[in-house]
Amino acid sequence: MSADHGHAISYKVLPAGVPVVSSDDVTLGTVVAALDNEREQIFDGIVFDTPAGRRFVDAPEVARIAERGVTLTITAQEAAGLPESDPKGGKEYEAKAPRGGLARGPLGRFLGGGWKRR
């Protein structure tokens, strides 16, 4: 049976130091920060410290955020494969410059304009 981590809270008020627990009740580490996508105003994931280093868990793998604990949807074994946290942040994207002709406007974005990775 899992520990009582208190009431559910928003990722926006999640304090550092809260334990991160796998779905099979193994304490993996402690929260460093909760990340969000500012542009879309949605929860992005959690950076947490483990004995093996700082890790990032994506939002879909977070089952519950509570006052005294974060519970993941993955097991401790699956969590061992989580990526290291990127100290520079995640990937950044920028709009591609129009190429002329059909590349301008909505049709151009649909046919290959749009976004590119920096």
Side-chain angles (χ1 to χ4, degrees):
M1 179 103 187
S2 64
D4 176 22
H5 293 138
H7 296 287
I9 60 172
S10 168
Y11 71 92
K12 292 181 179 185
V13 297
L14 178 64
V18 171
V20 176
V21 181
S22 65
S23 62
D24 53 349
D25 291 324
V26 175
T27 299
L28 304 171
T30 57
V31 171
V32 172
L35 306 179
D36 68 354
N37 178 323
E38 289 181 33
R39 177 178 292 161
E40 297 181 24
Q41 299 180 4
I42 58 172
F43 174 54
D44 192 38
I46 293 177
V47 175
F48 65 104
D49 280 332
T50 74
R54 194 161 280 183
R55 298 290 184 251
F56 172 76
V57 62
D58 205 10
E61 282 76 44
V62 177
R64 185 170 190 259
I65 299 173
E67 299 167 311
R68 297 182 299 276
V70 173
T71 306
L72 305 182
T73 63
I74 58 176
T75 65
Q77 183 176 4
E78 293 167 325
L82 288 171
E84 290 184 28
S85 175
D86 184 351
K88 295 179 281 184
K91 299 174 187 163
E92 292 185 21
Y93 294 84
E94 65 182 9
K96 286 184 180 179
R99 293 187 197 102
L102 289 176
R104 294 175 192 229
L107 182 58
R109 285 190 294 277
F110 178 75
L111 296 174
W115 299 95
K116 69 176 182 178
R117 184 175 170 189
R118 278 197 229 180

